[in-house]
């Protein structure tokens, strides 16, 4: 069996968010929780992901949204560990207001990810242009999925129930 860890963005998702929808459809999915709502402190996020991955040696698929994609890409520099794949949805070009004011936000890594991945990107995402997302998909050796006009793939953009996410996760667990 493969477990699924949900890696949230800068904030915890709203109850109507697609990641919460996934969790509701499969209670076995687990959250990677972070302590500082609204701020991105890489060390804290990496520690939370490492702790969640360390709970079991079971093969894992990471399902990240927004800033969670940065966390996954940074964590992956250390090797695949138990991670068998990652669904990376709407990675952002992170700017300084997302930090705690004391630490800087690291740049998105350009290194290939050591596990299969799918990067799902929107052509109307204000957080990252589609062309930039395509660049990172290429650098990370990730399959690029064009979501069309999907905004930042949030609740406000209409992404509560999102069956495509389940399909993409199934592709990663099968590989």
């Amino acid at each position: 069996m493969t477990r699924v860890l949900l890696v949230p963005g800068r904030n915890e998702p709203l109850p109507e968010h697609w990641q919460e929808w996934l969790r509701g459809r499969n209670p076995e999915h687990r959250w990677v929780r972070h302590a500082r709502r609204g701020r991105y402190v890489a060390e804290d996020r990496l520690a939370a992901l490492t702790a969640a991955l360390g709970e079991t040696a079971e093969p894992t698929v990471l399902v990240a949204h927004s800033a969670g994609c940065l966390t996954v890409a940074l964590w992956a520099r250390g090797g695949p560990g138990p991670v068998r794949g990652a669904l990376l949805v709407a990675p952002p070009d992170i700017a300084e207001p997302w930090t705690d004011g004391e630490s800087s936000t690291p740049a998105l890594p350009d290194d290939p990810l050591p596990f299969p991945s799918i990067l799902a990107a929107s052509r109307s995402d204000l957080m990252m242009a589609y062309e930039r997302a395509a660049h990172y998909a290429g650098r990370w050796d990730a399959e690029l999925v064009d979501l069309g006009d999907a905004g930042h793939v949030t609740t406000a953009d209409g992404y509560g129930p999102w069956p495509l996410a389940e399909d993409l996760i199934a592709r990663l667990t099968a590989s």
Side-chain angles (χ1 to χ4, degrees), residues 17-87:
H17 191 273
W18 63 268
Q19 283 181 310
E20 289 285 3
W21 176 80
L22 283 173
R23 173 73 168 89
R25 289 181 54 86
N26 189 334
E28 297 297 314
H29 292 355
R30 295 286 175 244
W31 280 105
V32 176
R33 296 294 184 187
H34 49 76
R36 298 190 202 199
R37 180 175 167 76
R39 296 286 177 237
Y40 190 90
V41 180
E43 296 78 24
D44 293 351
R45 303 294 177 109
L46 292 169
L49 179 54
T50 299
L53 286 167
E55 291 174 0
T56 179
E58 187 176 2
T60 302
V61 168
L62 302 174
V63 178
H65 179 247
S66 191
C69 299
L70 173 60
T71 302
V72 170
L74 290 170
W75 179 88
R77 289 176 168 172
V83 176
R84 298 296 177 256
L87 173 58

Side-chain angles (χ1 to χ4, degrees), residues 73-122:
L74 290 170
W75 179 88
R77 289 176 168 172
V83 176
R84 298 296 177 256
L87 173 58
L88 307 165
V89 180
D93 276 331
I94 294 182
E96 281 306 309
W98 282 27
T99 68
D100 62 357
E102 298 171 10
S103 59
S104 63
T105 304
L108 285 168
D110 269 340
D111 308 319
L113 300 179
F115 40 75
S117 57
I118 298 171
L119 192 156
S122 165

